[in-house]
């Protein structure tokens, strides 16, 4: 909370709507912590710091027997069930006894799920490992496994068709569905890009698709890509397109027209829906990792794309 408030006040100082501590001092507060990765990244980039994604990664954890609990029986049990191809059972063992598995071991089991198309289980294991062990115990290779390029051929076809920012769209798919093409939300959103039935029907009509199968990865990505590309064209500012994707176009138009936010950053922070604020934060952090790991794109370049009025020293 302190990091978020420091970031908001720093932006308010920059926009001339708040007088108080210097912007640099406020940014330093948010940059001096890494518990909230989103605000650490933004504040550090605003201060002109470089190579921010590598700074989040430490040394690989050593011998698993050095962990707090020995847990050899759990490791042997997990190895046996994975060797037998019982991935669901292996997932349960590793997730429930995470403290006895090193990050490297978890990454190897996550790869087994990825190879079987179970991206959601693999990423959930790695997310749990980061929560239990802390990101500083992950090597870059292991940390990168949290951000797989699933359905990359299908996503590339959408990129070629709609000319969108690849790390951001890949991050959108990751955060919407964890790359599970069959996933459905409690409100009825379906598939990789979590399309609502009405939106999917409207976009399918534009694409002249009859009765599209939203569980089909290419179909879902194509329809979702068209919808997101239209939001980008309509709102111009990429972060506004992400907000509209989550909260709806009508709300986004109203928030812009009300004129209470002097910058895109403060508009995002002032949204009345925490779920939408968190949605943007998740996609930004995810896109930062995709941009760095696969394109070596600095985080500040991604920020200038998402928030065109982002300011650095």
């Amino acid at each position: 909370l302190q990091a978020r408030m420091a970031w908001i006040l720093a932006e308010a100082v920059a926009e001339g709507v708040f007088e108080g501590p210097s912007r640099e001092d406020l940014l330093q507060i948010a940059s001096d912590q890494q518990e909230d990765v989103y605000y650490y990244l933004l504040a550090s980039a605003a201060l002109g710091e470089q190579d921010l994604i590598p700074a989040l990664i430490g040394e690989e954890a050593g011998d698993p027997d050095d962990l707090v609990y020995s847990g050899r029986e759990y490791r042997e049990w997990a190895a046996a069930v994975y060797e037998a191809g019982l991935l669901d059972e292996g997932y349960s063992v590793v997730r429930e006894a995470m403290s006895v598995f090193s990050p490297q071991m978890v990454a190897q089991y996550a790869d087994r799920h990825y190879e079987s198309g179970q991206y959601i289980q693999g990423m959930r294991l790695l997310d749990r490992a980061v929560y239990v062990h802390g990101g500083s115990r992950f090597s870059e290779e292991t940390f990168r496994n949290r951000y797989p390029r699933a359905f990359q051929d299908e996503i590339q076809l959408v990129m070629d068709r709609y000319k969108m920012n690849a790390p951001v769209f890949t991050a959108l798919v990751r955060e919407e569905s964890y790359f599970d093409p069959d996933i459905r939300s409690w409100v009825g959103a379906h598939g990789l890009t979590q399309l609502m039935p009405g939106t999917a029907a409207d976009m399918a009509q534009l694409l002249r698709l009859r009765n599209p199968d939203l569980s089909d990865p290419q179909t879902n990505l194509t329809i979702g890509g068209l919808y997101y590309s239209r939001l980008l064209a309509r709102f111009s500012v990429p972060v506004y397109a992400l907000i509209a994707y989550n909260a709806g176009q009508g709300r986004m138009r109203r928030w812009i027209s009300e004129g209470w936010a002097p910058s895109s950053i403060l508009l995002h922070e002032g949204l009345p829906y925490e779920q939408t604020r968190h949605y943007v934060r998740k996609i930004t952090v995810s896109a930062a990792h995709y941009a760095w790991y696969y394109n070596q794109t600095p985080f500040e370049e991604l920020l200038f794309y998402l928030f065109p009025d982002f300011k650095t020293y």
Side-chain angles (χ1 to χ4, degrees):
L1 180 60
Q2 184 183 40
R4 177 173 182 249
M5 291 308 301
W7 170 250
I8 293 172
L9 292 175
E11 179 65 13
V13 168
E15 292 296 326
V17 296
F18 176 74
E19 294 183 6
S22 72
R23 181 173 185 249
E24 185 175 6
D25 289 344
L26 290 164
L27 291 173
Q28 198 65 56
I29 293 172
S31 179
D32 283 344
Q33 57 82 47
Q34 290 189 356
E35 289 78 12
D36 192 314
V37 174
Y38 176 79
Y39 293 109
Y40 160 76
L41 289 172
L42 265 67
S44 298
L47 289 168
E49 297 179 19
Q50 305 292 316
D51 299 329
L52 296 176
I53 297 299
L56 293 171
I57 302 165
E59 297 295 327
E60 185 81 295
D63 187 333
D65 285 330
D66 292 336
L67 298 172
V68 176
Y69 306 104
S70 172
R72 186 180 299 277
E73 65 274 20
Y74 285 105
R75 294 194 292 276
E76 291 177 351
W77 184 13
V81 294
Y82 272 105
E83 183 64 26
L86 303 174
L87 301 188
D88 290 343
E89 288 78 0
Y91 171 84
S92 297
V93 173
V94 176
R95 184 172 174 82
E96 292 173 14
M98 183 60 70
S99 62
V100 308
F101 294 92
S102 72
Q104 186 178 28
M105 296 171 70
V106 178
Q108 291 171 350
Y109 289 134
D111 281 339
R112 294 290 302 275
H113 289 284
Y114 291 168
E115 291 164 3
S116 298
Q118 296 180 345
Y119 290 98
I120 191 168
Q121 289 92 335
M123 283 186 285
R124 281 178 173 170
L125 284 182
L126 290 166
D127 285 349
R128 176 68 178 164
V130 169
Y131 176 79
V132 171
H133 294 297
S136 63
R137 295 176 68 89
F138 281 65
S139 69
E140 180 172 345
E141 180 180 358
T142 303
F143 212 89
R144 184 172 55 237
N145 274 10
R146 294 179 72 200
Y147 301 93
R149 293 198 292 179
F151 302 103
Q152 190 57 33
D153 290 343
E154 292 87 347
I155 288 175
Q156 188 58 54
L157 288 174
V158 176
M159 293 298 97
D160 293 342
R161 184 168 186 170
Y162 300 123
K163 311 299 181 186
M164 295 183 294
N165 182 288
V168 172
F169 187 69
T170 304
L172 182 151
V173 177
R174 180 191 191 273
E175 300 306 330
E176 286 284 358
S177 65
Y178 264 33
F179 299 114
D180 182 349
D182 296 316
I183 197 168
R184 292 176 182 267
S185 75
W186 66 274
V187 295
H190 190 179
L192 291 175
T193 59
Q194 284 294 275
L195 293 162
M196 292 296 289
T199 300
D202 291 343
M203 296 303 105
Q205 186 174 14
L206 292 174
L207 292 166
R208 298 183 180 179
L209 295 176
R210 291 188 175 181
N211 301 317
D213 179 4
L214 297 181
S215 295
D216 175 69
Q218 190 67 74
T219 300
N220 191 288
L221 290 167
T222 300
I223 295 175
L226 173 61
Y227 180 56
Y228 181 57
S229 70
R230 288 169 64 87
L231 293 177
L232 284 169
R234 179 162 297 170
F235 293 105
S236 300
V237 177
V239 72
Y240 291 174
L242 289 176
I243 293 170
Y245 197 97
N246 180 261
Q249 297 183 60
R251 292 189 181 97
M252 187 68 250
R253 285 194 296 268
R254 185 176 73 249
W255 291 328
I256 293 172
S257 67
E258 289 172 348
W260 46 263
S263 73
S264 62
I265 291 169
L266 289 177
L267 187 144
H268 163 243
E269 294 293 350
L271 294 175
Y273 301 130
E274 166 56 23
Q275 194 272 341
T276 301
R277 296 198 304 268
H278 186 56
Y279 177 79
V280 170
R281 293 194 292 261
K282 288 192 303 178
I283 289 180
T284 301
V285 172
S286 184
H289 285 85
Y290 278 112
W292 176 259
Y293 290 142
Y294 300 107
N295 300 318
Q296 294 294 293
T297 301
F299 179 62
E300 58 268 24
E301 184 175 324
L302 175 69
L303 275 183
F304 284 125
Y305 168 75
L306 286 173
F307 301 92
D309 49 8
F310 181 77
K311 305 171 188 66
T312 62
Y313 277 99

